[in-house]
């Protein structure tokens, strides 16, 4: 039987939200621990996709650390506008000047670095297997072993994304809890290039007939292709089969 964890808060998931929550709780003096299913957190933009950190997101990062906010800004690019095209014609311009273009991986790594610097424990390779609300026990698959955590004296924070296993457990075990989940009707494939092009402005994010093109980092462009769930390109965009035919089609 596992002894009750000494942490006041157990965070499930070391994504941007999980890391931010853990740092904010630590800043307030709370003992916190994170469990993450992946083996590590890396800053490589090619394992991620482009995002924009808006003023609200920057404000949250600033609450963690002003130095962290400066780092996220320095590693991103200020977005002046989004330009939307239909064919060759620009149909709309959405002005910004306050959102920073970057990647999810870049922001996640910056937040994770802050977690490490604060000495917050992060248990990698811990995939949530089950959670029992009545006994307040959490079981993780950790490599070839099961790890049981007694959360009877801790609060559990579900930061495990839109397909949250914690949320599913609540739906199954609590009659008073329900969630409305809207399934995405589309899929996306992000491509990355370190080739510069004078035809695209790094300060502009482009929506080109459903294709998203943006500077993902000071040295990397990202092009995101999309398809609706029932389109013929749906399965193709999810394919990991790098045949000559698929590469040419991409």
């Amino acid at each position: 039987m596992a002894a009750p964890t000494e942490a006041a808060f157990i965070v499930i998931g070391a994504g941007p939200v999980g890391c931010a929550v853990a740092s904010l709780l630590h800043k307030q003096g709370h003992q916190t621990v994170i469990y993450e299913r992946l083996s590590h957190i890396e800053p490589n933009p090619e394992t991620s996709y482009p995002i924009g950190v808006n003023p609200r997101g920057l404000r949250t990062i600033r609450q963690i650390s002003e130095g962290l906010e400066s780092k996220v800004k320095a590693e991103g690019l200020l977005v002046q506008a989004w330009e939307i095209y239909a064919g060759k014609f620009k149909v709309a311009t959405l002005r910004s000047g306050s959102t920073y273009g970057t990647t999810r991986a870049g922001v996640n790594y910056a937040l994770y670095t802050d977690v490490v610097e604060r000495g917050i424990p992060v248990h990698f390779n811990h995939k949530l297997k089950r959670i029992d609300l009545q006994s307040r026990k959490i079981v993780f698959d950790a490599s070839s072993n099961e790890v049981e955590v007694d959360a009877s004296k801790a609060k559990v924070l579900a930061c495990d994304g839109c397909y949250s296993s914690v949320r599913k457990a609540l739906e199954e075990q609590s009659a008073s809890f329900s969630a409305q989940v809207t399934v995405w009707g589309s899929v996306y494939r992000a491509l990355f290039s370190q080739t510069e092009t004078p035809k695209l402005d790094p300060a502009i994010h482009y929506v080109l007939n459903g294709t998203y093109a943006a500077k993902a980092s000071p040295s990397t462009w990202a092009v995101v292709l999309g398809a609706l769930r029932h389109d013929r390109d749906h399965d193709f965009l999810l394919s990991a089969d790098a045949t000559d035919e698929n590469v040419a089609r991409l």
Side-chain angles (χ1 to χ4, degrees):
M1 181 179 294
T5 179
E6 295 181 358
F9 291 91
I10 297 172
V11 178
I12 309 295
V17 174
C19 288
V21 166
S23 288
L24 288 169
L25 287 170
H26 181 273
K27 189 175 180 180
Q28 295 172 12
H30 299 294
Q31 191 170 352
T32 307
V33 62
I34 301 175
Y35 290 89
E36 167 59 42
R37 67 177 179 84
L38 298 179
S39 61
H40 64 287
I41 303 295
E42 63 178 354
N44 183 3
E46 295 186 19
T47 64
S48 182
Y49 48 84
I51 64 169
V53 184
N54 62 19
R56 184 174 63 178
L58 289 171
R59 184 167 60 250
T60 299
I61 293 172
R62 189 185 317 126
Q63 289 175 343
I64 298 171
S65 163
E66 291 187 2
L68 186 61
E69 179 194 20
S70 298
K71 182 178 181 180
V72 170
K73 286 182 175 180
E75 293 178 353
L77 292 165
L78 187 62
V79 181
Q80 295 297 343
W82 283 265
E83 293 185 356
I84 302 173
Y85 287 78
K88 297 181 179 180
F89 300 99
K90 182 167 66 174
V91 296
T93 299
L94 305 176
R95 301 292 178 187
S96 176
S98 59
T99 292
Y100 281 78
T102 180
T103 64
R104 182 188 183 279
V107 173
N108 197 170
Y109 189 75
L111 290 164
Y112 167 68
T113 300
D114 183 83
V115 163
V116 173
E117 291 174 352
R118 293 178 186 276
I120 300 171
V122 182
H123 298 284
F124 287 107
N125 291 313
H126 279 63
K127 182 180 180 180
L128 182 63
K129 185 174 183 178
R130 61 180 179 273
I131 181 169
D132 190 306
L133 299 183
Q134 187 171 2
S135 66
R136 297 190 64 80
K137 296 291 193 302
I138 307 173
V139 177
F140 296 94
D141 273 331
S143 299
S144 58
N145 301 316
E146 281 192 358
V147 174
E148 182 180 284
V149 176
D150 184 342
S152 58
K153 295 184 179 180
K155 290 182 172 64
V156 178
L157 303 180
C159 302
D160 53 339
C162 59
Y163 301 109
S164 172
S165 296
V166 178
R167 185 189 67 236
K168 292 177 181 177
L170 284 170
E171 290 176 316
E172 293 170 356
Q173 300 177 43
S174 175
S176 62
F177 179 85
S178 64
Q180 181 178 348
V181 179
T182 302
V183 179
W184 280 35
S186 54
V187 294
Y188 300 92
R189 188 84 179 242
L191 311 177
F192 296 89
S193 172
Q194 294 185 340
T195 301
E196 291 296 334
T197 171
K199 295 183 179 181
L200 296 179
D201 185 344
I204 304 296
H205 282 211
Y206 298 89
V207 182
L208 307 161
N209 304 305
T211 298
Y212 196 93
K215 204 73 185 289
S217 74
S219 62
T220 305
W221 280 90
V223 177
V224 183
L225 309 176
L228 296 177
R229 185 169 297 277
H230 299 295
D231 284 358
R232 64 184 182 89
D233 292 329
H234 178 276
D235 292 338
F236 164 67
L237 287 182
L238 295 179
S239 173
D241 190 7
T243 63
D244 291 341
E245 180 183 358
N246 279 353
V247 170
R249 181 178 174 188
L250 199 58

